Amino acid sequence: MTQLTRKYHFCASHRLHSEQLSPEENIHLFGKCNNPHGHGHNYYLDVTVKGNPDPVTGMIINPAELDEIVERVVLDKFDHKHLNLDTDEFKNINPTSEVVAMVIYNMLRPQIPMLYRIGLWETEKNYFEYMDSGEHI
């Protein structure tokens, strides 16, 4: 079994806020990330596919095809957007990076059957990873 990981970049803002918490609880839990106007990140997205290389091409997937799918399904929707306000995916869920990684996986999975893992770099120190465990939230 072989894996291929491609790296992508997008910029987006979000506000960490849970409707299930009081304003005080949100401020205490999320601090400056609860700013009503949001805050931004330069995200790096790792998309990993896993499979056996095709006997003719020697590839798991054509990288150009993978790039087109990721651009159309994820980057066109999220790049330079406020995730809470500008996207349907986060209208009713708190866009923590844990959740963003899971949502991106679920967006790409129908388009990329051999999708294995999503890695999302929020900052140089914060990395989040989502792999399908068979349970869907």
Side-chain angles (χ1 to χ4, degrees), residues 48-107:
T48 302
V49 296
K50 181 177 178 180
N52 292 313
D54 181 274
V56 175
T57 66
M59 297 187 292
I60 303 168
I61 189 172
N62 182 332
E65 179 185 347
L66 182 60
D67 291 350
E68 184 278 323
I69 293 168
V70 172
E71 181 143 343
R72 175 175 40 84
V73 173
V74 178
L75 304 182
D76 287 351
K77 284 188 175 189
F78 294 166
D79 191 31
H80 286 83
K81 300 289 195 276
H82 190 297
L83 298 178
N84 307 71
L85 304 176
D86 300 330
T87 68
D88 291 334
E89 289 78 8
F90 300 103
K91 289 284 185 208
N92 298 311
I93 55 176
N94 194 13
T96 63
S97 291
E98 294 92 325
V99 171
V100 173
M102 179 188 66
V103 166
I104 290 172
Y105 182 96
N106 290 329
M107 291 169 67

Side-chain angles (χ1 to χ4, degrees), residues 38-53:
H39 64 281
H41 295 285
N42 293 309
Y43 291 99
Y44 285 92
L45 174 66
D46 295 339
V47 177
T48 302
V49 296
K50 181 177 178 180
N52 292 313

Side-chain angles (χ1 to χ4, degrees), residues 6-7 12 37 60-61 77 118 129:
R6 299 275 288 175
K7 185 176 288 286
H37 302 290
I60 303 168
I61 189 172
K77 284 188 175 189
I118 290 298
E129 195 169 77

Side-chain angles (χ1 to χ4, degrees), residues 8-61:
Y8 304 91
H9 176 256
F10 67 98
C11 301
S13 61
H14 65 164
R15 178 186 187 203
L16 299 185
H17 185 85
S18 173
E19 294 297 328
Q20 298 172 6
L21 301 174
S22 71
E24 295 78 19
E25 289 172 316
N26 272 291
I27 291 169
H28 177 74
L29 181 61
F30 299 118
K32 64 183 179 180
C33 297
N34 185 245
N35 179 335
H37 302 290
H39 64 281
H41 295 285
N42 293 309
Y43 291 99
Y44 285 92
L45 174 66
D46 295 339
V47 177
T48 302
V49 296
K50 181 177 178 180
N52 292 313
D54 181 274
V56 175
T57 66
M59 297 187 292
I60 303 168
I61 189 172

